[in-house]
Amino acid sequence: MPELPEVEVCRRGLEPELLGAQIEQVIIRSPKLRHVIPVELRDLLPGCRIVGIRRRGKYLLIDCRSDSVQGSLLVHLGMSGSLRFVAHGQPVVKHDHFELVLARHVLRFADPRRFGLILWQSGPPEESEQHPLLAIQGIEPLSDDFTVNWLYQANLKRSGPIKPLLMDSHRVVGIGNIYASESLFRAGISPLRAANKISKARYGLLVPAIRQTLSDAIAAGGSTIRNYMHSDGSSGWFQIQVGVYDRAGEPCLRCGGVVKQVRQAGRSTFYCPGCQH
Ligand code: ZN
């Protein structure tokens, strides 16, 4: 499933091709995604130029503008969505639901499981984050808002285990399962530890660990995204070098102990009881 780093890398891959491009046609092949793709996009977008491409949480915002139209396409890749540039006239395959036809090529959205979405928010770019789906998003972990003090204060009264709290996107966006497990491993903090029983000094290790883990993933993807977005290959999501994730029963790379797997809030958690307390 695409997580924050994948969406950010996708944004960076799209930006040079989309910025300044004019939309010639919108094709909606099957509108039923998580929400129905608004049919009026067919009339609204042709003639618009793409003036920005942004990311908020796991949403991409494609800012479009013409003399009479101003707004942003909200795109979410869901569980299995992807955006790809294809040549004009390239045959459509199953699960290709939506396309923006540009002068040079076509941006095609495919999503086998249909948990993704494509919506429209009219108005200037700065207002698009007021869309109900974006207004409930927590702070960005790579922004200056995500500080040691913020995380410490936010968890002072939270007696639940730290890992599910990190993954709550209403508080901080984009710390998916793999990144929560890996960040806690890097910081030496047990995923089972009560959030309000972690000292400020240890949050001082966790915040940079989260930032670094996400940045590593973005860097890992940055080198491959161009090929990915212009190829016909399926999948292609990249992974960071993992310390504990999906390594249950294997030796910890740091201490040689055995990596353990538990369930937390319905998700698998991986950690090393020897290194993480
Ligand atoms: Zn260990």
Side-chain angles (χ1 to χ4, degrees):
M1 174 160 63
E3 299 284 352
L4 182 149
E6 284 88 352
V7 179
E8 175 59 24
V9 168
C10 182
R11 188 196 72 75
R12 293 180 188 187
L14 291 171
E15 192 168 43
E17 301 287 347
L18 286 188
L19 214 52
Q22 184 163 323
I23 299 167
E24 298 189 341
Q25 189 188 1
V26 172
I27 298 172
I28 303 172
R29 299 189 188 281
S30 40
K32 284 187 188 164
L33 300 176
R34 181 146 54 99
H35 297 279
V36 175
I37 302 175
V39 69
E40 62 264 31
L41 293 178
R42 286 185 184 135
D43 298 323
L44 213 53
L45 293 188
C48 281
R49 271 194 195 285
I50 295 170
V51 294
I53 170 144
R54 297 175 289 142
R55 180 189 58 75
R56 179 73 179 97
K58 295 203 289 181
Y59 290 86
L60 288 167
L61 294 107
I62 302 174
D63 302 323
C64 305
R65 188 165 195 170
S66 71
D67 290 342
S68 54
V69 174
Q70 185 174 34
S72 305
L73 271 179
L74 260 63
V75 180
H76 195 288
L77 300 176
M79 307 278 285
S80 58
S82 65
L83 287 163
R84 228 179 229 103
F85 290 107
V86 298
H88 289 285
Q90 179 157 321
V92 173
V93 294
K94 200 178 173 188
H95 309 305
D96 284 346
H97 304 310
F98 176 88
E99 44 200 81
L100 290 180
V101 181
L102 311 169
R104 284 183 55 202
H105 43 207
V106 176
L107 182 65
R108 204 169 264 180
F109 177 83
D111 187 1
R113 298 184 63 181
R114 294 172 177 264
F115 282 103
L117 62 80
I118 294 175
L119 294 173
W120 175 252
Q121 170 83 346
S122 60
E126 58 273 19
E127 284 178 18
S128 59
E129 297 197 11
Q130 291 163 15
H131 188 282
L133 288 169
L134 300 186
I136 58 169
Q137 301 278 310
I139 65 173
E140 290 284 338
L142 295 174
S143 76
D144 293 340
D145 297 336
F146 184 60
T147 63
V148 174
N149 204 38
W150 181 88
L151 190 60
Y152 175 69
Q153 296 288 341
N155 286 339
L156 270 181
K157 291 183 178 151
R158 305 300 292 261
S159 56
I162 180 65
K163 186 192 165 236
L165 283 170
L166 288 181
M167 293 178 62
D168 180 354
S169 67
H170 300 303
R171 307 171 87 226
V172 186
V173 295
I175 308 178
N177 200 28
I178 177 169
Y179 303 112
S181 284
E182 289 301 314
S183 301
L184 287 164
F185 174 66
R186 290 182 181 196
I189 296 171
S190 167
L192 311 175
R193 178 162 290 278
N196 62 355
K197 294 285 192 290
I198 298 171
S199 69
K200 196 168 177 181
R202 300 188 78 202
Y203 277 116
L205 299 174
L206 182 57
V207 165
I210 289 168
R211 287 173 175 275
Q212 193 59 50
T213 305
L214 292 170
S215 299
D216 287 353
I218 291 170
S223 56
T224 57
I225 192 67
R226 226 186 136 69
N227 286 335
Y228 167 69
M229 299 203 62
H230 289 264
S231 76
D232 302 319
S234 55
S235 84
W237 299 121
F238 42 89
Q239 274 204 353
I240 50 169
Q241 290 289 319
V242 291
V244 285
Y245 188 80
D246 209 18
R247 296 192 63 244
E250 293 177 37
C252 170
L253 302 176
R254 193 178 292 151
C255 75
V258 178
V259 175
K260 212 174 157 187
Q261 179 176 2
V262 292
R263 295 289 282 181
Q264 282 185 298
R267 305 296 299 274
S268 290
T269 294
F270 301 88
Y271 73 106
C272 171
C275 299
Q276 295 176 255
H277 305 281

